[in-house]
Amino acid sequence: MKMTACVVREGGLAQPFAESKPISVEEVTLDGPGPGEGLGKGGGAGLCHSDLSILNGDRKRGLPLVLGHEGAGEVVEVGQAVDDVRVGDHIVFQFSASCGRCRRCLEGRPQICERATASKAKGQLLSGAHRLRDADGNTLNHHSGVSCFAEYCVADRGSVVVIDPSLPFREAAIFGCAVMTGAGAVLNTARIRAGDSVAIVGLGGVGLNGLLGAKLAGAETIVAIDLSDDKLGLARQLGATHTVNANDADHIEQVRDITHGGVDFAFDLAGTIKAMETAYGCTRYGGSIVTAGLSPSGAHFSFEQGDLVGQEKSIRGSYMGSCVPVRDIPRFISLYQQGRLPVDRLVDRTIGFDEVNAGFDQLQANATVRQICLPHG
Ligand SMILES: [Zn+2]
Ligand SMILES: [Zn+2]
């Protein structure tokens, strides 16, 4: 079928993107679903920092690709061998299909599935197939097996989770990345306990979801840290007990003072080395640092080794919030519907494909949390 999609052909173009236009809205060809796959009609896709890092060149991806790894929509066709999803089901697209057979999958860590890691690196679906072509017939890569900045997506069965159809798509979309990555880092990777003290470094979509997760889990102290006073204000409304501006030269000291020597858990949810240094610095003796942000390719974080030993700190990576999507997406949606995880507060606005370049300028300028993109806004 022919459809409209947002194609990225080159990373690292000059900003503003509204002028350099790294994303072109094109008519492309989408093949029908193969065995184990389905066709979904897009109902909204979230603009995420990991998309931005492709546009600004911070992270390298095989280009050209159809952008988008977080979204929601409706099933319109299923391929052979798919018997547990029906036409008309509402779904969340998530960026980590899994094979269910490799060692990592069988350890309960489908988010780092061996086969999915390899297929994503090649811009393929889990099956190894490419189903997208441009007007000249050239292959277009899939973005993390999803590519949901498009009218339709063909995805592996494992890339979607069926959801409650009463949930509007624009609210459902952010469960595919921001909610899982942020809330999951706190609830799954760190498994914080009621009464713990927590620092959240970076208040984008992922960071604010981490904050909501910390509040849900009963953290006693939640220190929110960011460069933007507006974001710090929003964090206070969402449950941060304290806020610290990372522009202050003594911001780490401020956190250590507030928490009498440092937090139990510090989360780098910004994906910069500076944020990682802040998280490391404000963790107490015996505390843990969890990082779920992706810094630019090749960036290295360093620390004094003796401190790690003498202070018994731990550093843990968290990919997609250590989530098992089929378990966690319905659980987080239910918590949202109960009012205990108010992620709708994080969605700023809905835009059309024609506004998507400017939308990423806004994200780069730290002026938005989550924008949802639809073909016609
Ligand atoms: Zn994302
Ligand atoms: Zn696997």
Side-chain angles (χ1 to χ4, degrees):
M1 69 189 296
K2 302 278 187 206
M3 64 158 187
T4 304
C6 296
V7 180
V8 182
R9 296 185 176 275
E10 194 182 346
L13 295 189
Q15 290 167 36
F17 297 133
E19 284 168 23
S20 61
K21 294 193 174 15
I23 300 168
S24 55
V25 181
E26 302 180 15
E27 188 180 82
V28 306
T29 301
L30 177 66
D31 292 339
E37 297 169 356
L39 172 69
K41 184 174 194 297
L47 278 66
C48 174
H49 263 98
S50 22
D51 305 317
L52 181 61
S53 66
I54 297 173
L55 304 187
N56 65 21
D58 276 354
R59 297 191 68 81
K60 303 283 175 246
R61 284 272 183 173
L63 301 176
L65 65 67
V66 174
L67 198 65
H69 64 282
E70 167 188 276
E74 182 177 341
V75 177
V76 292
E77 186 185 339
V78 293
Q80 287 170 22
V82 176
D83 54 12
D84 59 346
V85 176
R86 289 196 198 100
V87 170
D89 280 349
H90 288 202
I91 49 174
V92 164
F93 294 103
Q94 57 84 21
F95 60 92
S96 204
S98 53
C99 75
R101 290 187 292 277
C102 72
R103 177 171 171 174
R104 298 176 210 163
C105 278
L106 292 170
E107 283 175 346
R109 306 173 95 178
Q111 77 279 15
I112 52 171
C113 167
E114 281 172 36
R115 205 168 125 201
T117 305
S119 62
K120 282 194 283 189
K122 292 181 192 153
Q124 302 165 337
L125 298 182
L126 191 68
S127 64
H130 279 99
R131 309 243 178 255
L132 288 158
R133 288 186 309 281
D134 68 11
D136 296 328
N138 300 311
T139 299
L140 297 168
N141 281 331
H142 295 266
H143 184 185
S144 296
V146 175
S147 291
C148 57
F149 280 80
E151 288 180 291
Y152 293 89
C153 319
V154 166
D156 188 85
R157 165 66 187 90
S159 296
V160 306
V161 173
V162 177
I163 59 163
D164 177 348
S166 70
L167 187 69
F169 291 134
R170 69 184 292 276
E171 292 167 28
I174 67 167
F175 285 85
C177 174
V179 179
M180 279 202 291
T181 305
V186 174
L187 299 170
N188 292 336
T189 313
R191 293 177 179 272
I192 73 159
R193 294 174 302 184
D196 281 342
S197 59
V198 163
I200 304 288
V201 188
L203 300 174
V206 171
L208 289 167
N209 272 291
L211 189 159
L212 294 176
K215 187 171 178 232
L216 176 71
E220 186 244 343
T221 306
I222 304 173
V223 188
I225 304 165
D226 198 273
L227 299 163
S228 153
D229 284 329
D230 288 345
K231 296 268 180 74
L232 294 173
L234 177 58
R236 272 192 293 273
Q237 290 171 25
L238 293 173
T241 58
H242 303 77
T243 53
V244 171
N245 193 308
N247 284 315
D248 295 349
D250 65 343
H251 66 279
I252 290 176
E253 231 166 81
Q254 289 181 40
V255 181
R256 298 183 68 86
D257 284 348
I258 290 164
T259 54
H260 311 292
V263 294
D264 299 314
F265 291 94
F267 295 88
D268 155 39
L269 302 179
T272 65
I273 299 304
K274 277 214 84 62
M276 192 63 194
E277 287 166 354
T278 297
Y280 188 80
C282 63
T283 304
R284 69 165 172 86
Y285 275 56
S288 301
I289 299 99
V290 173
T291 177
L294 283 168
S295 54
S297 307
H300 288 254
F301 167 65
S302 68
F303 50 85
E304 191 170 331
Q305 189 269 344
D307 276 357
L308 191 70
V309 175
Q311 298 182 19
E312 276 215 338
K313 290 185 179 183
S314 308
I315 302 175
R316 279 196 71 179
S318 172
Y319 186 67
M320 206 170 76
S322 308
C323 282
V324 177
V326 71
R327 175 194 70 191
D328 290 323
I329 289 178
R331 161 168 95 120
F332 292 151
I333 287 176
S334 169
L335 288 163
Y336 166 65
Q337 289 171 324
Q338 293 170 35
R340 296 162 72 192
L341 199 64
V343 301
D344 57 326
R345 303 271 308 273
L346 312 183
V347 177
D348 296 295
R349 61 189 195 129
T350 304
I351 60 174
F353 284 177
D354 55 334
E355 298 167 283
V356 71
N357 284 297
F360 281 106
D361 285 326
Q362 297 246 15
L363 192 61
Q364 179 85 60
N366 217 9
T368 54
V369 177
R370 223 27 161 216
Q371 303 163 88
I372 302 296
C373 183
L374 280 160
H376 309 291

